[in-house]
Amino acid sequence: MSTSRTSMHGEWSGRFAFILAATGSAVGLGNIWKFPYITGENGGGAFVLVYLICIACIGIPIMMAEVMLGRRGRQSPINTMRDLAEEVGASKHWKYLGWAGVIAGLLILSYYSVIAGWALAYVFRTASGVFTNVTGDGASSLFSRFVADPEKLLAWHTIFMVMTMAVVARGVKGGLEKAVRFLMPTLFVILIILLGYAMNLGEFSRGVVFLFNPDFSKISASGVLTAMGHAFFTLSLGMGAIMVYGSYLPKNVSIAKTSIIIALMDTLVALVAGLIIFPIVFANGLEPGSGPGLIFQTLPIAFGHMPGGTFFGTLFFILLVFAAWTSSISLIEPAVAWLVENRGHTRIYAAVIMGVVTWLLGLLTILSFNLWSDFKPLSSISAFENSTIFDLLDYLTANIMLPIGGLLIAVFAGWVMKRETTMQELSINDVMHKGYRAWQILVRYVAPAAVVIVFLKVTGIFDIATIFEAIFG
Ligand code: TRP
């Protein structure tokens, strides 16, 4: 395969556009909605530390691998994996990794869109002024009443899916790139304003301690898996989203530098979101472990009490919708690119088909918060005793499918691809040789081993603590 091949879907206009698009994919509900609530559920500091280690040692090297595979293959993840495997004479079955990614993306988007719909609804609620002077209890009960209404959730989910399809149908430059250009910078500004509010609350230091003071007695093996799964989720890794974005990347852009920039920005947004949410939680006597409703129960309090709160609150939820939007398009893009390549459909048709499938799957999540909230399909397994279908979908995708996908991507990049190819794609010269070596060790050994060990530990097959004791104690 020639290395000068280009993608039939077009290309980003340059390095900056790619950084914006990939950051747009990475920064989303995962940072602002999910990171705070799973940190709250898993006791804070120790969880955050594990998450940061996973970003650095697993996330960044796998992101480089994914971008590299994409740029080398220049097609949807399914066809990219097939061709790259063929190029080195490896098994044809690698294309199923692309398939698993397409499926994971649609499953994630099915619930992602429902939550993005909540954010949309909160734009209008905040703008209407219902949160003015709201109490902690008031905000919580407004939220519970909202999610108890399946018709409302369905309406907002539908609107969000239509928004997603509309951008994806327009294609790489006209749709995806335009949307992220001005949204990402504005989001940063509003987060800083909110951080200013949180810093002036009496409980700011408690929030900082909660986030950064690790207490290892509070984290379990399943907490470690959640942290690792979230590292994949928040960086959009393990299912081909970053791979397909990489396939639109011009040839001369440095993969290592851009991956590090993207990961740093993503992490920064998550930490700032935590520094905003937890001081509000503590100042209002709320429960850090209150689950998926956390930001919808805390932020309205801040907006209800700060000067200009209606304005800033509305703006915040608008930006949250945009952050979710620039992520949702990357969740569906691998499926759409594949339909265009292999079935010859137009982008518009492909986006509608995949959008409708995802929309239907979204009903499972909607019902999990109301009519089916007592339906716990795996309640016989103690770990899933209280899990609704939404919880199971989230667990299956973030904690199982993404880490396995990431593991296989790391193995492919580290062991299956030729060293000359990876060196060439990562444009290694003599000066950067150490960096290449480090990357290679991380994708060959560290990332795969970490995923396997965490899995074994969670399933109870293997106890790291005992092994550590055996070696060091
Ligand atoms: N990273 C996004 C977030 O944090 C969600 C997302 C977009 C994603 N594309 C993905 C997660 C691909 C996993 C895989 O909100």
Side-chain angles (χ1 to χ4, degrees):
M1 187 188 327
S2 132
T3 50
S4 58
R5 94 188 266 164
T6 52
S7 168
M8 67 181 280
H9 309 283
E11 237 182 39
W12 306 113
S13 45
R15 170 180 134 104
F16 185 62
F18 172 72
I19 292 183
L20 275 179
T23 309
S25 165
V27 174
L29 296 174
N31 305 65
I32 297 169
W33 161 73
K34 194 172 181 193
F35 173 72
Y37 93 75
I38 57 178
T39 300
E41 284 177 340
N42 287 285
F47 177 86
V48 174
L49 187 64
V50 176
Y51 155 80
L52 292 174
I53 294 172
C54 291
I55 295 278
C57 300
I58 309 177
I60 293 179
I62 292 186
M63 179 177 286
M64 289 170 56
E66 247 194 67
V67 176
M68 180 183 81
L69 294 182
R71 189 168 70 181
R72 183 85 186 171
R74 290 278 188 227
Q75 298 160 83
S76 70
I78 297 172
N79 293 331
T80 287
M81 290 311 302
R82 186 200 56 209
D83 286 5
L84 293 183
E86 197 184 303
E87 196 182 38
V88 292
S91 159
K92 272 206 165 123
H93 296 323
W94 280 103
K95 74 167 187 242
Y96 294 112
L97 178 56
W99 272 109
V102 165
I103 293 167
L106 300 183
L107 289 176
I108 294 175
L109 184 55
S110 80
Y111 66 81
Y112 202 85
S113 165
V114 174
I115 312 294
W118 298 358
L120 262 177
Y122 268 64
V123 169
F124 295 92
R125 299 187 138 203
T126 317
S128 76
V130 283
F131 295 128
T132 308
N133 293 322
V134 76
T135 59
D137 287 344
S140 296
S141 84
L142 280 167
F143 175 74
S144 333
R145 265 184 282 146
F146 171 62
V147 294
D149 185 343
E151 284 165 27
K152 268 194 196 147
L153 301 195
L154 180 62
W156 292 113
H157 164 57
T158 308
I159 295 173
F160 188 79
M161 276 313 303
V162 171
M163 289 165 56
T164 301
M165 289 185 260
V167 174
V168 176
R170 284 199 164 76
V172 175
K173 261 197 195 147
L176 311 195
E177 186 173 325
K178 256 199 204 130
V180 286
R181 257 186 197 279
F182 102 107
L183 300 173
M184 298 313 297
T186 329
L187 180 68
F188 277 99
V189 174
I190 187 108
L191 282 174
I192 299 304
I193 296 175
L194 280 171
L195 185 61
Y197 170 82
M199 288 175 103
N200 285 316
L201 287 173
E203 301 287 351
F204 187 69
S205 54
R206 234 179 115 191
V208 174
V209 169
F210 183 77
L211 271 183
F212 294 115
N213 194 11
D215 171 355
F216 286 97
S217 67
K218 289 206 181 123
I219 190 162
S220 58
S222 77
V224 172
L225 175 60
T226 307
M228 183 179 78
H230 188 63
F232 285 100
F233 186 92
T234 193
L235 294 178
S236 303
L237 298 178
M239 52 69 63
I242 290 295
M243 199 187 293
V244 83
Y245 275 24
S247 76
Y248 310 142
L249 183 64
K251 200 146 182 359
N252 50 7
V253 175
S254 157
I255 291 178
K257 256 192 249 156
T258 41
S259 300
I260 291 171
I261 295 174
I262 295 160
L264 285 179
M265 297 220 272
D266 184 78
T267 307
L268 187 69
V269 173
L271 294 178
V272 170
L275 286 173
I276 295 169
I277 312 280
F278 289 109
I280 302 175
V281 168
F282 294 127
N284 292 282
L286 297 163
E287 179 46 54
S290 23
L294 187 66
I295 65 162
F296 298 95
Q297 290 161 324
T298 50
L299 294 179
I301 308 172
F303 299 130
H305 292 266
M306 65 197 256
T310 302
F311 174 76
F312 287 125
T314 311
L315 190 57
F316 172 81
F317 283 112
I318 291 177
L319 290 166
L320 184 59
V321 169
F322 280 124
W325 199 4
T326 55
S327 300
S328 66
I329 53 188
S330 75
L331 283 162
I332 202 171
E333 178 66 18
V336 170
W338 177 80
L339 264 188
V340 173
E341 286 164 12
N342 286 43
R343 295 279 179 270
H345 295 311
T346 60
R347 276 194 75 93
I348 300 182
Y349 184 80
V352 171
I353 297 277
M354 291 303 172
V356 169
V357 170
T358 314
W359 177 82
L360 278 172
L361 283 169
L363 300 179
L364 296 172
T365 293
I366 291 181
L367 295 169
S368 299
F369 287 95
N370 36 68
L371 303 181
W372 292 358
S373 60
D374 292 324
F375 178 43
K376 314 273 163 69
L378 296 186
S379 58
S380 55
I381 304 171
S382 70
F384 301 115
E385 222 167 21
N386 293 314
S387 303
T388 60
I389 298 190
F390 158 73
D391 296 318
L392 294 173
L393 265 178
D394 173 42
Y395 194 95
L396 171 70
T397 50
N399 294 4
I400 300 177
M401 296 182 86
L402 298 182
I404 294 181
L407 164 91
L408 293 172
I409 288 168
V411 167
F412 191 85
W415 297 99
V416 180
M417 280 177 92
K418 287 214 190 74
R419 184 183 160 88
E420 304 85 72
T421 315
T422 54
M423 284 184 80
Q424 182 194 13
E425 280 296 333
L426 297 175
S427 40
I428 302 299
N429 50 39
D430 292 340
V431 192
M432 282 150 35
H433 217 90
K434 280 210 183 97
Y436 179 78
R437 207 41 210 149
W439 173 79
Q440 207 184 28
I441 291 172
L442 289 168
V443 289
R444 281 193 159 183
Y445 308 101
V446 178
V451 172
V452 171
I453 291 173
V454 175
F455 274 146
L456 293 178
K457 171 80 183 147
V458 167
T459 48
I461 295 174
F462 171 107
D463 187 2
I464 313 175
T466 337
I467 296 200
F468 263 52
E469 260 167 44
I471 301 175
F472 300 110

